[in-house]
Amino acid sequence: MTETSAGSLVPEVGRLVIRFAGDSGDGMQLTGDRFTSASALFGNDLATLPEYPAEIRAPAGSLAGVSAFQVHISDHDIFTPGDAPHVLVAMNPAALKAELGTLVDGGTVIVNADTFNERNLAKAGYDHDPLEGDDLDAYRLVGAPMTSLTKEACKDLGVKPRDAERSKNFFALGLLSWMYSRPVEPTLDWINAKFKGRDLIIAANKAAFSAGHAFGETAELSDHQLIVRPAELPAGTYTNINGNTALAWGLVAAGQLSGLPVFLGSYPITPASDILHELSRQKRFNVTTFQAEDEIAAVGSALGAAYGGLLGVTTTSGPGIALKGETLGLAVSLELPLVIVNIQRGGPSTGMPTKTEAADLLMSMYGRHGESPMPVIAARTPADCFDQAIEAARIAIEHRTPVMLLSDGYLANSSEPWLLPVVEHLEPIPIEFAGDFNQVDENGDQVFWPYLRDDNMARPWAIPGTPDLMHRIGGLEKQDGSGNVSYDGANHARMIALRAERIARIPVPDVEVSGDADAELLLVGWGSTWGAITAAVRRVRNSGRKVAHVHLTHLNPMPANLGEVLSGFPKILVPEMNLGQLVRMLRDEFLVDARPVSKVSGQPFTAAELQQAILGEIGDDA
Amino acid sequence: MTDMLLPDGGIEDVPTTTRADWQSNQEVRWCPGCGDYSILTALQLLMPDLGVRREKTVFVSGIGCAARFPYYMNTYGMHSIHGRAPAIATGLALARPDLDVWVVGGDGDILSIGGNHLIHALRRNIDINILLFNNQIYGLTKGQFSPTSERGKVTKSSPIGSCATPFNPVSLAIGAEASFVARTHDMDRHHMQEMFKRAYEHPGTSIVEVYQNCNVFNDGAFETITKKDVRDDMLIPLCHGEPIRFGSEGQFGVARYDGGVEIVEVAEVGVDALLVHDEARVDPSTAFALSRLAENPDRPTPVGVFRAVDRGEYGEALRGQVDQMATDRGEGDLRALLHSLPTWTV
Ligand SMILES: Cc1ncc(C[n+]2csc(CCOP(=O)(O)OP(=O)(O)O)c2C)c(N)n1
Ligand code: SF4
Ligand SMILES: [Mg+2]
């Protein structure tokens, strides 16, 4: 039990998963986000999963229009947004119908009772009122007339009733804040800052929030109150960050660490657009954002900027990568630094644009014409997007190559507390532009050879404007060294071999095995599956069973010790949000009997699913 | 913004150069007799007069016969991929305003596969100079019809004639908000040089259509208008501030008619009725009407600068925003950025 500020004793729980669901227009993403923010400031560990429909406004009240936000808060370190929610907030019948199935038995259902009228029930496909029947018998129901109480609370503020109604999500937030003892100041501060200058809206939102808070007390919901204590996290300063913001900041940091201006060429696409938005706000870091006419121009402009000596970046999702393919081949041939970011989503084609998937690995590896090797790295958590953006830029610049950085819709939008790095501890990225002749020709004259390689097998980055080093580069095959156009077959074979070797030789850190080195089963993951795998492995090990996990950041080239690690485990499982792509690469490269665990339903793995997969492999009993 | 990158000697003390300084050591590999040679020569001869540095000059091209151009210039150059040169040049020019960026390409490269990039470059008005070598054919792929080939054109891919209506590149450019549009042809070095120089001097995107003879796959496409003995009667020179007049005796002119323009006999209408060319006219409708005088280059066709208006260069505006954000909110501080969302300390 913990005493709240109001003096009542409230039972503690170690963790709590809450799912906010409502119509697209109900503001559930914002409500979830605010609850998360307050929890972060309170000191919980947390993970979030926003899920919204592809349509901006699907028909109001329909099942298709339900938008949800799940947050997992805890008093210990956690890795996923939680398997099944303990609490469901349903702002209308459609949200209840769509989301009830995910709730744990005995879980709490909080509904906006005002919306359960005949019309809305029909739209959701109910032929009866679930609040009246036995539908919710297995759950603890809290019915709050949120709309009418919000209107009532705003009545004397001079706010139009229709505008007042819009604040009902703050009622829900107030109620939840009371039930789960969240601090209220962060929310009130945020309302003040967000709606600065619009006093009526501020007043209405605050009134709704307070009304929700008060409702908890007056409706005597105290037996619903719970508290999740702050988690013991490593000391330091934290912020709550999502993957796209972290990635954008990582690109800003890469510019600062290298001293290069950043040039982003991009074309809007879900779920990558937020990186374009964020970087467009950060121009004062010497960041230029160019919204191109299409993805081909986006990558073309970034490559042009890279040729000019800037840190060229392009951000997109799978369909955009497909369009960029030919230019990526050119970048491979030109051997210029370029960072390509793919925030993967459900495909093929437009697929499930707002849902997550990680099925572009093979495209990243092999999806170009010709022998076209490219380093590929993948971020594992929202905060890791920051580190991997820097890593991508570092590899690109040091090795003069395009680098593919993979994230996905889940990482892009979900958030977690991030122990902020100390800026002074970030390692600078050294830059070297060519300035001098590097060869003597047959006449004894000093000349410049654009394809003469350094110790990294990288060619000189000789940017236009450099006196004397005028030279021409292009997509035609080049003579090794001089860079002159060459149609010689033997030279072409040598250049292909050199391009393959220079990428294969990029040094990458070894993988570290977590869990039991002597386990029978090894899980190999990449990208955003890290959280679910880590949580599942922990559960299995807590039950006294052995299992191990390695997670790949570098997919091309792969860590040098990976083959040896794999060979130490009789069984290998590879969970992926695709039908088995890394698993093919592992089987191909290491001749191991790795087996896939697939999920392609638009949602990330839950820990429970992977726990089951592990037990399926090692047997259920000890 | 990129000052750190610029080993800039400035525009003063530009070393005097000759044509030879602008020639690369690569063997020129166009078919003998190709019009591309005379365009290359015209430009190499012009460069010393522009007062620019070789290392500050970049030619970017796509793919095609025309697109081989950068290899032959002793400057920086990129022979990129089919159609994408305007996009790549856009990035380069935005990144490096200190450079003179030229784009060279054929009618297939720039108007077909690269059409989207062309219209958006023109619309934005980034400071690049686009030279469109229009031979009304796909040369490098050995003779298919192109987006400028006339209707009915018989080629390997249109054995009984193409069914498609061609683009008029000048009309297209004007429609795409181009701030500088000119046309010239490969038989007149002096005129080419004048147009290239004007294009170079124009702040913003300039496009010059060059009628270019492909003597292998489309020989004589422009003969009807460019041959020495017919030129006077078939080319209509556009000179800013002067009445539009042509013909060996100056007997023809262009006058306004029915909302557009038409060719008239000076003797019939009188000199005062002739349209005085105003390339700086902001409203593009007269320039557009002039571009429609000849649908195809088989009747009297205007050459010269159709349009040259100054409407603000895109790169300057975009870089201005970078500077403005730095001025308004202070230079970026990474630590402050990382701490810009609510934080808490454990
Ligand atoms: C993506 C792609 N598609 C097609 C080609 C083949 N291709 C090369 S040049 C060309 C057309 C060239 O015509 P044009 O641009 O008019 O140049 P010209 O050779 O006439 O100077 C084509 C279709 C290519 N290189 N790349
Ligand atoms: S094919 Fe035509 S355009 Fe190409 S080089 Fe030969 S003559 Fe010139
Ligand atoms: Mg052509």
Side-chain angles (χ1 to χ4, degrees):
Chain A
M1 289 272 179
T2 296
E3 198 173 325
T4 65
S5 49
S8 53
L9 286 179
V10 171
E12 287 175 20
V13 285
R15 63 186 195 94
L16 194 61
V17 179
I18 301 172
R19 195 165 172 89
F20 297 88
D23 208 45
S24 303
D26 284 342
M28 286 299 96
Q29 300 298 331
L30 187 142
T31 310
D33 215 49
R34 286 301 96 211
F35 187 88
T36 303
S37 216
S39 300
L41 293 177
F42 183 65
N44 295 126
D45 195 11
L46 59 86
T48 68
L49 176 66
E51 285 187 274
Y52 44 90
E55 292 76 21
I56 302 301
R57 287 285 150 85
S62 69
L63 289 172
V66 173
S67 169
F69 185 103
Q70 185 163 315
V71 56
H72 185 182
I73 55 176
S74 76
D75 66 4
H76 54 279
D77 58 330
I78 48 162
F79 311 101
T80 75
D83 298 349
H86 306 110
V87 180
L88 171 66
V89 179
M91 296 300 281
N92 67 4
L96 181 68
K97 181 145 202 199
E99 304 290 343
L100 187 62
T102 62
L103 198 60
V104 296
D105 280 349
T108 301
V109 181
I110 302 166
V111 299
N112 178 3
D114 287 333
T115 60
F116 283 69
N117 54 35
E118 224 168 284
R119 210 162 136 252
N120 286 333
L121 289 167
K123 277 197 219 161
Y126 276 118
D127 56 10
H128 63 286
D129 185 347
L131 305 186
E132 312 268 292
D134 55 8
D135 296 60
L136 301 176
D137 281 1
Y139 307 100
R140 303 174 71 199
L141 175 65
V142 176
M146 298 188 194
T147 312
S148 43
L149 288 181
T150 299
K151 281 187 187 162
E152 179 66 24
C154 296
K155 159 173 107 215
D156 298 329
L157 299 175
V159 187
K160 287 193 213 109
R162 219 184 41 146
D163 290 340
E165 188 183 336
R166 286 221 195 99
S167 297
K168 65 183 181 297
N169 57 331
F170 282 94
F171 183 100
L173 186 58
L175 175 54
L176 274 270
S177 298
W178 181 83
M179 288 171 77
Y180 304 118
S181 308
R182 301 293 93 185
V184 299
E185 289 74 26
T187 303
L188 298 177
D189 289 349
W190 181 87
I191 292 174
N192 280 333
K194 175 77 182 177
F195 302 103
K196 201 173 168 197
R198 287 180 285 172
D199 292 348
L200 276 185
I201 298 182
I202 293 179
N205 287 340
K206 283 186 175 173
F209 183 80
S210 303
H213 210 263
F215 181 82
E217 292 215 61
T218 46
E220 292 182 6
L221 297 176
S222 49
D223 57 329
H224 285 274
Q225 275 189 298
L226 290 174
I227 186 158
V228 179
R229 306 275 312 142
E232 278 191 30
L233 298 170
T237 300
Y238 287 78
T239 199
N240 185 46
I241 197 84
N242 69 42
N244 273 353
T245 307
L247 205 152
W249 290 1
L251 293 169
V252 169
Q256 301 283 300
L257 294 171
S258 61
L260 292 182
V262 176
F263 182 98
L264 174 73
S266 191
Y267 187 78
I269 184 169
T270 303
S273 302
D274 283 339
I275 304 174
L276 168 64
H277 304 162
E278 179 61 20
L279 286 174
S280 299
R281 296 174 56 218
Q282 303 304 345
K283 290 185 173 170
R284 61 199 180 125
F285 285 90
N286 214 345
V287 172
T288 301
T289 56
F290 173 63
Q291 182 175 314
E293 56 271 24
D294 59 26
E295 280 89 347
I296 304 175
V299 67
S301 63
L303 184 61
Y307 176 56
L310 272 62
L311 174 55
V313 182
T314 188
T315 50
T316 187
S317 187
I321 296 288
L323 284 172
K324 293 173 200 285
E326 190 197 10
T327 311
L328 297 186
L330 176 66
V332 167
S333 178
L334 294 183
E335 302 188 23
L336 283 170
L338 184 67
V339 175
I340 304 107
V341 179
N342 180 357
I343 313 295
Q344 300 163 93
R345 64 188 214 183
S349 188
T350 313
M352 303 239 282
T354 60
K355 301 284 191 265
T356 197
E357 203 161 280
D360 295 345
L361 176 59
L362 292 181
M363 173 166 76
S364 307
M365 289 293 299
Y366 309 118
R368 288 171 295 281
H369 54 291
E371 296 291 350
S372 187
M374 182 183 295
V376 179
I377 65 176
R380 59 179 62 179
T381 64
D384 190 42
C385 290
F386 178 83
D387 293 334
Q388 298 321 324
I390 297 174
E391 174 70 359
R394 185 184 307 280
I395 297 175
I397 290 170
E398 266 177 31
H399 297 272
R400 256 79 87 192
T401 175
V403 175
M404 182 76 71
L405 169 56
L406 298 175
S407 169
D408 60 41
Y410 166 41
L411 289 186
N413 292 315
S414 69
S415 64
E416 64 172 357
W418 176 30
L419 175 57
L420 288 170
V422 177
V423 166
E424 292 72 32
H425 295 173
L426 298 171
E427 222 177 288
I429 302 176
I431 293 295
E432 206 187 316
F433 291 128
D436 294 311
F437 295 123
N438 57 4
Q439 195 48 258
V440 177
D441 71 5
E442 60 271 23
N443 306 324
D445 290 333
Q446 297 261 37
V447 292
F448 178 67
W449 278 18
Y451 277 77
L452 209 58
R453 298 175 186 283
D454 66 10
D455 294 343
N456 275 338
M457 294 180 74
R459 74 179 195 88
W461 195 1
I463 62 173
T466 314
D468 301 324
L469 303 194
M470 289 83 73
H471 65 279
R472 277 63 54 192
I473 56 175
L476 286 171
E477 186 58 283
K478 291 148 280 276
Q479 193 171 36
D480 183 16
S482 77
N484 287 335
V485 173
S486 165
Y487 301 122
D488 173 44
N491 174 74
H492 178 55
R494 185 160 62 250
M495 288 298 279
I496 285 179
L498 284 172
R499 283 189 288 259
E501 190 190 341
R502 75 187 205 90
I503 301 305
R505 274 183 29 178
I506 293 173
V508 307
D510 278 350
V511 279
E512 279 172 35
V513 179
S514 57
D516 307 290
D518 58 344
E520 179 194 0
L521 174 68
L522 174 72
L523 268 69
V524 184
W526 69 276
S528 70
T529 55
W530 181 84
I533 298 176
T534 303
V537 163
R538 175 189 280 188
R539 285 185 197 174
V540 171
R541 295 184 69 223
N542 282 348
S543 71
R545 308 296 308 282
K546 288 186 172 180
V547 63
H549 172 204
V550 296
H551 212 77
L552 298 182
T553 293
H554 296 85
L555 294 144
N556 191 37
M558 289 194 190
N561 70 334
L562 183 60
E564 197 190 310
V565 167
L566 297 179
S567 68
F569 294 88
K571 292 182 170 176
I572 298 169
L573 269 191
V574 185
E576 294 182 79
M577 292 193 293
N578 58 50
L579 290 186
Q581 301 199 357
L582 176 64
V583 76
R584 276 170 206 257
M585 289 166 56
L586 296 178
R587 293 174 73 105
D588 168 39
E589 185 78 20
F590 302 107
L591 289 174
V592 290
D593 184 18
R595 280 191 275 135
V597 183
S598 289
K599 183 169 185 184
V600 284
S601 59
Q603 284 179 316
F605 281 107
T606 63
E609 288 164 342
L610 292 179
Q611 185 182 6
Q612 223 170 23
I614 295 169
L615 294 177
E617 204 62 29
I618 61 176
D620 228 331
D621 41 75
Chain B
M1 56 175 278
T2 54
D3 300 350
M4 43 177 287
L5 297 173
L6 316 180
D8 192 354
I11 45 168
E12 277 132 52
D13 306 325
V14 174
T16 319
T17 53
T18 65
R19 175 187 183 185
D21 293 315
W22 295 87
Q23 289 171 314
S24 79
N25 59 359
Q26 303 295 302
E27 183 195 345
V28 184
R29 297 247 195 108
W30 288 307
C31 306
C34 175
D36 289 346
Y37 282 96
S38 53
I39 309 175
L40 178 66
T41 306
L43 200 70
Q44 284 175 338
L45 283 165
L46 172 70
M47 294 311 286
D49 294 343
L50 293 184
V52 294
R53 293 170 185 276
R54 291 176 302 171
E55 69 266 22
K56 291 279 190 182
T57 305
V58 188
F59 282 84
V60 182
S61 68
I63 298 292
C65 297
R68 293 297 174 96
F69 201 89
Y71 285 121
Y72 309 134
M73 297 295 295
N74 189 17
T75 62
Y76 284 88
M78 187 196 292
H79 177 229
S80 74
I81 45 177
H82 202 23
R84 313 306 169 195
I88 294 169
T90 291
L92 180 61
L94 286 176
R96 295 286 305 276
D98 59 313
L99 302 175
D100 294 324
V101 181
W102 300 75
V103 169
V104 177
D107 39 315
D109 193 53
I110 287 186
L111 295 175
S112 192
I113 191 166
N116 197 33
H117 307 312
L118 174 75
I119 56 174
H120 289 280
L122 294 172
R123 163 177 82 81
R124 290 191 191 101
N125 206 31
I126 290 164
D127 195 8
I128 55 178
N129 313 312
I130 302 173
L131 307 184
L132 164 63
F133 296 5
N134 181 8
N135 55 13
Q136 298 188 334
I137 201 83
Y138 285 3
L140 191 72
T141 45
K142 301 195 165 68
Q144 302 82 8
F145 62 92
S146 88
T148 53
S149 298
E150 68 279 13
R151 244 186 129 117
K153 179 94 180 167
V154 173
T155 70
K156 281 180 224 166
S157 58
S158 54
I160 57 169
S162 129
C163 312
T165 301
F167 273 140
N168 175 327
V170 169
S171 305
L172 179 77
I174 292 169
E177 306 290 346
S179 61
F180 181 96
V181 189
R183 178 188 282 146
T184 184
H185 66 98
D186 62 2
M187 302 284 284
D188 187 342
R189 176 184 301 163
H190 181 75
H191 192 258
M192 279 192 282
Q193 289 178 331
E194 202 185 310
M195 294 302 107
F196 297 163
K197 184 157 196 262
R198 290 289 313 275
Y200 166 76
E201 286 163 352
H202 178 75
T205 306
S206 44
I207 179 166
V208 183
E209 181 191 19
V210 188
Y211 286 150
Q212 172 244 328
N213 192 40
C214 166
N215 54 310
V216 173
F217 295 110
N218 200 18
D219 196 20
F222 306 102
E223 234 175 26
T224 337
I225 58 169
T226 60
K227 245 183 143 163
K228 270 226 159 67
D229 51 340
V230 298
R231 232 183 255 176
D232 286 349
D233 287 336
M234 297 300 276
L235 293 180
I236 309 174
L238 301 177
C239 304
H240 183 58
E242 288 175 27
I244 303 175
R245 199 162 174 177
F246 67 107
S248 43
E249 320 280 313
Q251 69 272 44
F252 303 116
V254 173
R256 290 195 183 280
Y257 169 74
D258 194 20
V261 296
E262 65 169 356
I263 291 170
V264 293
E265 286 193 40
V266 179
E268 260 175 42
V269 301
V271 177
D272 290 348
L274 296 184
L275 176 65
V276 174
H277 184 49
D278 180 7
E279 64 185 29
R281 193 185 160 102
V282 174
D283 168 29
S285 53
T286 307
F288 187 81
L290 286 168
S291 78
R292 306 311 290 176
L293 269 177
E295 231 168 81
N296 296 315
D298 55 1
R299 70 202 69 172
T301 302
V303 291
V305 177
F306 285 74
R307 177 170 170 78
V309 295
D310 192 351
R311 63 168 172 84
E313 198 263 337
Y314 175 87
E316 211 175 291
L318 194 68
R319 283 186 302 276
Q321 292 190 340
V322 173
D323 294 342
Q324 187 196 328
M325 278 191 164
T327 315
D328 290 357
R329 298 170 51 200
E331 294 262 324
D333 169 353
L334 187 55
R335 190 187 173 279
L337 175 67
L338 300 189
H339 289 73
S340 60
L341 295 173
T343 61
W344 69 98
T345 301
V346 174

